[in-house]
């Protein structure tokens, strides 16, 4: 009996509670129902007015490369066969360096300013003899010649050349043969360094090695590997490969490997000591001297060379930024989302506590969604002001 009574009481209490809740819902006001159905009020979103300069930029991919390169090619009548490889990547060439063995004969390096334009015999006189004598003196194979024989291939020079052959493991030129053969000596510029692995032994129909001059330089292209169409010589760029700062750039044509032998003419003729260009190994593309920047930019195959003074070793890769233009320094900077149009004027809305005011501004430079502006009215906008980037009244 007691159990039945308690059960009836619990049921009654539940019935009353449910009924009370249902009744309360029937008496909720219309305003209350609307408020409960509406989303919460939006908060104002603001940004701080900054001071500085904005830039219009293009991303770059960069690498450190040799400033200029040129090919080494043997001269002489075909067939030409590379019978031994003697230089290695990164080797700096000096007077007497054994560049290669061609058809079983040595090919020595001479440091000079122009190619050999003839083979030299004892007693020959001229600027080429001066160059050979100077190289032999630097090699410490002979003492500096007296002034009256400085331009003559005299007996001391003949003996010194013979010693150079013997030290390299070759028989000196036979009697009746040229002392300095144009096929056994190749003139290279001072500071020339072997760039890349040389050819392996075999038939030669082109260069057997490539050399670089002038040290390393930073070269860049667009992220797609092509020259940005906006690129022009005289612009500036930054790169992670040359420390901080902006560097002037030069548009250079795509590198072209030369097949003209360094230190001799391509036809086997006798160019004089004044012959320049490809004959002495000068790469026409070095330093942006080949073609016009416009041609390179149109083709999309050129490169940007930075005039950076702090460059690491060759082969490093990094990123960069080409600066197409920039605003003046110390400008007031706001994002594009802070600009509104009101009464045919461009304005920003400044929040000051609970108050807000619309400030007319003039856009002086825009790039990448940021704007350098100046207030139309004096002191209308200052660095540090908070401006709306959500629509006023939203």
């Amino acid at each position: 009996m007691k159990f039945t009574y308690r059960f009836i009481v619990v049921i009654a209490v539940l019935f009353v509670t449910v009924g009370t809740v249902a009744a309360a819902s029937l008496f909720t006001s219309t305003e209350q129902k609307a408020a409960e159905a509406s989303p919460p009020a939006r908060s104002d979103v603001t940004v701080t007015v900054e001071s500085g300069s904005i830039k219009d930029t293009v991303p770059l991919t960069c690498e450190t490369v040799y400033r200029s390169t040129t090919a080494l090619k043997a001269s002489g009548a075909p067939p030409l066969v590379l019978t031994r490889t003697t230089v290695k990547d990164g080797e700096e060439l000096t007077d007497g360096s054994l560049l290669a063995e061609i058809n079983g004969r040595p090919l020595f390096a001479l440091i000079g300013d122009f190619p050999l334009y003839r083979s030299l015999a004892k007693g020959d006189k001229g600027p080429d003899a001066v160059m050979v004598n100077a190289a032999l003196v630097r090699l410490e194979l002979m003492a500096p010649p007296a002034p009256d024989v400085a331009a003559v291939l005299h007996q001391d020079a003949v003996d010194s050349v013979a010693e150079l052959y013997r030290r390299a493991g070759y028989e000196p030129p036979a009697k009746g043969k040229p002392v300095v053969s144009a096929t056994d000596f190749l003139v290279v510029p001072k500071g020339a360094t072997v760039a890349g692995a040389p050819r392996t032994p075999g038939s030669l129909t082109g260069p057997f090695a490539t050399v670089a001059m002038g040290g390393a330089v930073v070269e860049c292209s667009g992220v797609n590997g092509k020259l940005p169409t906006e690129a022009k010589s005289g612009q500036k760029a930054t790169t992670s490969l040359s420390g901080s700062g902006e560097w002037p750039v030069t548009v250079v044509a795509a590198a072209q490997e030369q097949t003209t032998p360094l230190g001799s003419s391509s036809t086997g003729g006798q160019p004089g000591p004044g012959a320049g260009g490809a004959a002495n190994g000068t790469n026409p593309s070095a330093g942006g001297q080949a073609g016009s920047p416009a041609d390179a930019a149109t083709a999309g195959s050129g490169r940007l060379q930075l005039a950076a003074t702090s460059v690491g070793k060759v082969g490093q890769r990094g990123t960069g930024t080409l600066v197409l233009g920039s605003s003046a320094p110390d400008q007031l900077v706001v994002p594009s989302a802070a600009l509104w149009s009101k009464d045919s004027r461009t304005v920003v809305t400044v929040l000051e506590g609970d108050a807000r005011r619309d400030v007319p501004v003039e856009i002086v430079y825009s790039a990448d969604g940021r704007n350098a502006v100046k207030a139309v009215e004096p002191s209308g906008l200052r660095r540090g002001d908070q401006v709306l980037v959500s629509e006023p009244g939203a």
Side-chain angles (χ1 to χ4, degrees), residues 179-192:
V179 176
V180 178
S181 171
T183 60
D184 285 3
F185 288 86
L186 193 62
V187 178
V188 298
K190 182 179 180 180

Side-chain angles (χ1 to χ4, degrees), residues 317-363:
R317 295 179 180 274
T319 58
T321 301
L322 176 64
V323 181
L324 303 179
S326 63
S327 69
D330 300 324
Q331 299 289 303
L332 296 176
V333 179
V334 298
S336 295
L339 300 174
W340 318 103
S341 179
K342 181 179 181 181
D343 299 330
S344 301
R345 296 191 301 179
T346 300
V347 301
V348 295
T349 300
V350 178
L351 265 65
E352 296 173 337
D354 293 332
R356 61 182 65 188
R357 57 187 174 89
D358 294 334
V359 179
V361 295
E362 177 186 345
I363 301 173

Side-chain angles (χ1 to χ4, degrees), residues 187-210:
V187 178
V188 298
K190 182 179 180 180
T193 303
V194 179
R199 279 280 309 275
T200 55
S203 178
L204 275 180
T205 56
F208 63 85
T210 299

Side-chain angles (χ1 to χ4, degrees), residues 127-213:
D128 48 355
V130 173
M131 182 170 63
V132 170
N133 285 339
L136 296 173
V137 171
R138 289 192 296 268
L139 281 168
E140 298 182 350
L141 290 173
M142 73 176 194
D148 59 332
V149 293
V152 179
L153 200 72
H154 56 294
Q155 186 59 48
D156 284 352
V158 174
D159 296 339
S160 297
V161 170
E163 178 62 18
L164 176 64
Y165 276 83
R166 283 191 289 267
R167 287 184 181 182
Y170 295 92
E171 286 294 322
K175 289 185 178 181
K177 295 289 185 179
V179 176
V180 178
S181 171
T183 60
D184 285 3
F185 288 86
L186 193 62
V187 178
V188 298
K190 182 179 180 180
T193 303
V194 179
R199 279 280 309 275
T200 55
S203 178
L204 275 180
T205 56
F208 63 85
T210 299
V211 295
M213 292 80 69

Side-chain angles (χ1 to χ4, degrees), residues 173-341:
K175 289 185 178 181
K177 295 289 185 179
V179 176
V180 178
S181 171
T183 60
D184 285 3
F185 288 86
L186 193 62
V187 178
V188 298
K190 182 179 180 180
T193 303
V194 179
R199 279 280 309 275
T200 55
S203 178
L204 275 180
T205 56
F208 63 85
T210 299
V211 295
M213 292 80 69
V217 67
V218 177
E219 285 194 352
C220 304
S221 64
V223 293
N224 60 355
K226 296 182 179 180
L227 183 73
T229 56
E230 308 95 332
K232 298 178 182 178
S233 294
Q235 293 171 332
K236 292 187 177 181
T238 63
T239 172
S240 59
L241 299 176
S242 61
S244 60
E246 294 183 354
W247 304 97
V249 301
T250 301
V251 177
V252 298
Q256 303 261 341
E257 184 180 58
Q258 290 189 349
T259 56
T260 301
L262 180 65
S264 60
S265 69
S266 58
T267 60
Q270 306 297 325
N280 66 5
T282 301
N283 188 342
S285 66
Q289 299 302 313
S292 68
D295 292 339
T298 301
S301 59
R303 302 273 286 174
L304 289 174
Q305 193 172 96
L306 277 63
T309 57
S310 175
V311 179
K313 63 181 181 180
V314 169
Q316 294 180 318
R317 295 179 180 274
T319 58
T321 301
L322 176 64
V323 181
L324 303 179
S326 63
S327 69
D330 300 324
Q331 299 289 303
L332 296 176
V333 179
V334 298
S336 295
L339 300 174
W340 318 103
S341 179

Side-chain angles (χ1 to χ4, degrees), residues 91-146:
E91 178 181 345
E92 185 173 351
L93 302 180
T94 61
D95 292 299
S97 290
L98 184 58
L99 299 175
E101 182 184 272
I102 310 294
N103 293 351
R105 295 295 298 167
L107 180 60
F108 295 107
L110 284 178
I111 305 300
D113 298 325
F114 54 86
L116 286 174
Y117 52 94
R118 60 175 175 170
S119 294
L120 292 171
K122 180 181 177 181
D124 282 344
K125 182 177 181 179
D128 48 355
V130 173
M131 182 170 63
V132 170
N133 285 339
L136 296 173
V137 171
R138 289 192 296 268
L139 281 168
E140 298 182 350
L141 290 173
M142 73 176 194

